[in-house]
Amino acid sequence: MSKKIDMSKFEKKMIIRNIEPADFDDIIEMSKVCFPNMEPWEREHLQSHVDIFPEGQFCVEYDGEIIGSCSSLIINFDEYDDQHTWDEITDNGYITNHDYEGYNLYGIEVMVHPEYRRMKIGHRLYEARKDLARELNLKSIIIGGRIPNYFKFAKEMTPRKYVEEVTMHNIYDPVLTFQVMNGFTMKRINPNYLEDDRASLRYATLMEWNNIDYRPTIPKRQFKTSFPVRITTIQYAMKKISSFEDFAIQCEYYTDVAASYHSDFAVFPEIFTLQLLSFLPEKSPSLAIRRLTEFTEDYIELFTNLAIKYNVNIIGGSHFVEEEGKIYNIAYLFRRDGTIEKQYKLHITPNERKFWGISGGNHVNVFDTDCGKIAIQICYDIEFPELARIAVDKGANIIFTPFCTDDRQGYLRVRYCSQARAIENQVYTVLSGTVGNLTDVENMDIQYAQSGIFSPSDFTFARDGIVGECQANIETVVVGDVDLEILRRNRRAGSVNQLRDRRHDIYSINYKQ
């Protein structure tokens, strides 16, 4: 009697999925094999793709090996010149010009490992793109395609004639023939498209696949004349209290003030929970901080309830939290729907390290809210420009900075850097600081603050780039509106455009997480 055949030993597994950071090395090596005479992808490019538009980056995994990949971004093609180059349409390969509100998926690269060609790997990747275009209700897919066999015919015919011959199937071109077979139609021929594409003599075909399922009557995007977001930033008084309930009353008062002005965000300062130490007898700073961490759950419960009760998103200042034996300075986002996020302070000041033994976090986070994407960078962190640039590349429109400084010099470091980040990154920034005194709390002797809301510097914003600011060193709030639609337009057509004009060809930021 014959044995039952084990079918599993014959099975092969092919998966089409989104690219992950663990795939980067394989994709870079594959690009060297697929395009030996062209510059390969760098990790910074691929990381930027995954950070900005992860759903638009696909790879084919065959029995655990990456054998094909493609990258894309969304644009509004009407905003670009028909004679654009690859560098212009991709922001030098980093796709930081990706526009979720655009109407066209733009394919910037497809590659299949030579050992696995004629297995319809490229076709599978193109189908994945088409499915994505249908899912996102995009009008079309546009590609700037190479014509890598043109160099063989350049002496005999013009690029246009070559394209016509390939389209009529009289000449085979591995890229253009493939694109025609996949339903793409010719729009035009672009010269000087890809600088190192010598085989195509730098020519490229601009081609388009139209999504016949596109539904213009379904409002996929809402273009607004304005998108105002109201912010109340709180200049919080550090004064002696007798209990956690006293602290809660003070916090609820300011949350109520923010809600009474119909604010979308209420912003509290850095480590303002140190006020709780004013009723604890511990004098040693390091031991007092351990005592303070015992209030973490009470603090989280308080602000979660306040955010829901008053229907306002709360940047809950920051609080010292113990995790696995270490103390971290953590800023929490309490959304008005009851969900919670947190951002660890990354750069620890000498004072925090010396007196309290604070450890630094490792991640730059960007959070989704009902008012767009935001980031939180605690005090000292705003003085490191790389962090703001990473956050904005991840989509942040507002950077909140809770801070605590003891003198004017320290405050001005935070303020000047916050305003610089607003200009450099075409983003709104917000400061919230502490004032007053805690005379019986060690290492919290004096406070200096002038909280404020800042904008980029251009005609469409406040004259001095100041949306609003408190008077220095008094207990108060400032309320201001920032407009995300004006910000979006400024990033497209401002007097200057710091984001688009970056020289990725000579410098980049390598975010290692």
Side-chain angles (χ1 to χ4, degrees):
M1 188 174 183
S2 61
K3 294 182 179 179
K4 185 177 181 180
I5 297 174
D6 181 8
M7 301 297 289
S8 63
K9 66 182 181 181
F10 299 103
E11 291 179 341
K12 301 289 185 181
K13 191 173 184 180
M14 184 177 290
I15 303 171
I16 313 293
R17 60 172 174 81
N18 291 122
I19 292 172
E20 301 172 354
D23 305 319
F24 291 172
D25 289 340
D26 291 337
I27 291 172
I28 291 169
E29 290 305 311
M30 185 168 59
S31 70
K32 295 176 182 178
V33 175
C34 292
F35 311 118
N37 298 316
M38 300 172 66
E39 293 184 8
W41 284 123
E42 297 179 2
R43 289 188 66 87
E44 291 83 356
H45 292 126
L46 300 175
Q47 185 65 61
S48 186
H49 299 174
V50 170
D51 288 342
I52 293 171
F53 185 36
E55 57 267 52
Q57 322 308 319
F58 294 102
C59 67
V60 179
E61 181 182 323
Y62 183 58
D63 273 0
E65 182 181 356
I66 303 299
I67 63 170
S69 72
C70 69
S71 301
S72 60
L73 72 158
I74 296 174
I75 61 170
N76 186 2
F77 190 69
D78 292 341
E79 297 175 356
Y80 291 84
D81 189 332
D82 279 350
Q83 295 283 357
H84 65 266
T85 66
W86 187 88
D87 283 342
E88 290 169 344
I89 209 73
T90 68
D91 194 14
N92 294 292
Y94 289 86
I95 72 166
T96 50
N97 57 319
H98 169 74
D99 181 3
Y100 271 106
E101 296 178 338
Y103 287 90
N104 314 97
L105 187 70
Y106 196 103
I108 62 174
E109 175 267 351
V110 173
M111 59 182 172
V112 177
H113 196 288
E115 295 180 7
Y116 296 92
R117 287 173 183 166
R118 301 193 182 280
M119 292 175 61
K120 297 192 179 298
I121 305 302
H123 176 74
R124 296 169 197 256
L125 290 168
Y126 268 55
E127 289 301 309
R129 275 182 178 166
K130 291 175 183 177
D131 288 342
L132 180 64
R134 296 183 186 104
E135 178 185 342
L136 298 179
N137 192 34
L138 299 173
K139 281 185 176 180
S140 69
I141 301 174
I142 298 173
I143 53 176
R146 301 170 59 237
I147 43 176
N149 276 359
Y150 176 58
F151 75 97
K152 300 177 182 179
F153 300 87
K155 293 181 180 179
E156 306 171 24
M157 58 186 72
T158 64
R160 177 173 295 280
K161 180 63 176 175
Y162 174 80
V163 168
E164 289 175 356
E165 291 296 313
V166 173
T167 304
M168 296 295 293
H169 302 288
N170 295 326
I171 296 175
Y172 172 77
D173 184 278
V175 176
L176 181 54
T177 300
F178 171 77
Q179 291 165 344
V180 171
M181 295 296 291
N182 277 276
F184 282 77
T185 57
M186 181 69 59
K187 289 175 69 71
R188 64 170 296 111
I189 298 172
N190 282 17
N192 302 313
Y193 182 75
L194 193 57
E195 186 65 28
D196 56 355
D197 185 9
R198 297 181 181 86
S200 305
L201 302 186
R202 301 185 178 88
Y203 287 101
T205 56
L206 191 63
M207 306 189 73
E208 185 171 26
W209 171 85
N210 290 291
N211 177 16
I212 62 173
D213 296 320
Y214 173 66
R215 303 177 301 282
T217 56
I218 296 178
K220 185 175 76 71
R221 307 162 189 79
Q222 294 291 336
F223 288 96
K224 301 181 178 181
T225 55
S226 66
F227 187 169
V229 175
R230 181 159 295 175
I231 299 168
T232 295
T233 187
I234 298 153
Q235 197 153 278
Y236 188 92
M238 301 289 273
K239 52 193 175 185
K240 184 175 176 59
I241 55 176
S242 301
S243 65
F244 185 86
E245 288 69 28
D246 287 349
F247 172 76
I249 289 170
Q250 193 171 349
C251 293
E252 182 164 8
Y253 167 76
Y254 281 117
T255 305
D256 188 14
V257 168
S260 69
Y261 286 104
H262 306 289
S263 299
D264 297 293
F265 290 95
V267 191
F268 286 86
E270 180 189 24
I271 57 174
F272 74 120
T273 57
L274 281 170
Q275 186 181 29
L276 298 171
L277 295 181
S278 65
F279 64 81
L280 296 177
E282 183 58 62
K283 294 299 181 182
S284 166
S286 59
L287 295 178
I289 292 306
R290 298 278 173 177
R291 292 284 305 275
L292 182 64
T293 65
E294 296 172 5
F295 289 93
T296 298
E297 291 188 3
D298 294 328
Y299 156 81
I300 292 173
E301 183 178 14
L302 168 65
F303 279 98
T304 301
N305 291 336
L306 291 178
I308 295 171
K309 178 179 178 180
Y310 289 96
N311 190 33
V312 59
N313 300 303
I314 300 176
I315 308 298
S318 77
H319 175 66
F320 289 134
V321 179
E322 183 173 3
E323 295 181 351
E324 298 180 352
K326 294 183 177 180
I327 306 295
Y328 296 95
N329 188 350
I330 300 178
Y332 289 85
L333 164 64
F334 300 93
R335 295 191 187 92
R336 49 185 156 198
D337 66 1
T339 57
I340 307 170
E341 304 279 4
K342 61 182 179 180
Q343 172 66 61
Y344 293 75
K345 188 173 185 178
L346 305 185
H347 297 89
I348 305 306
T349 64
N351 192 60
E352 287 176 294
R353 190 176 294 109
K354 175 182 177 181
F355 285 94
W356 297 321
I358 306 302
S359 299
N362 297 310
H363 299 278
V364 179
N365 298 320
V366 170
F367 307 115
D368 287 308
T369 73
D370 54 8
C371 298
K373 293 180 181 292
I374 65 108
I376 306 172
Q377 297 184 355
I378 307 169
C379 197
Y380 197 28
D381 282 343
I382 200 67
E383 298 178 29
F384 296 82
E386 299 89 347
L387 301 188
R389 182 55 50 86
I390 291 166
V392 170
D393 280 348
K394 286 185 171 187
N397 293 315
I398 308 171
I399 297 176
F400 293 96
T401 298
F403 74 95
C404 176
T405 51
D406 57 351
D407 56 34
R408 179 175 169 79
Q409 287 79 8
Y411 160 71
L412 288 178
R413 287 195 296 270
V414 174
R415 181 193 177 109
Y416 291 157
C417 288
S418 180
Q419 290 189 270
R421 301 300 86 86
I423 293 170
E424 295 162 353
N425 298 285
Q426 296 175 279
V427 68
Y428 294 111
T429 58
V430 181
L431 297 181
S432 174
T434 53
V435 296
N437 299 288
L438 292 176
T439 56
D440 51 356
V441 176
E442 292 293 328
N443 200 40
M444 283 297 288
D445 303 320
I446 56 175
Q447 314 285 306
Y448 190 102
Q450 187 175 15
S451 306
I453 305 167
F454 309 114
S455 73
S457 183
D458 210 339
F459 296 113
T460 53
F461 300 105
R463 188 189 68 174
D464 299 319
I466 302 171
V467 177
E469 60 183 341
C470 299
Q471 292 186 31
N473 282 346
I474 65 169
E475 181 180 11
T476 187
V477 305
V478 63
V479 181
D481 284 354
V482 300
D483 195 318
L484 301 188
E485 176 61 20
I486 289 177
L487 188 72
R488 185 186 73 85
R489 295 178 189 177
N490 179 256
R491 288 177 174 179
R492 293 174 183 271
S495 299
V496 292
N497 197 313
Q498 294 89 348
L499 293 179
R500 284 192 180 177
D501 291 341
R502 286 176 289 173
R503 288 289 304 278
H504 288 303
D505 56 325
I506 60 174
Y507 61 82
S508 64
I509 295 174
N510 180 18
Y511 178 48
K512 296 182 178 180
Q513 297 299 325

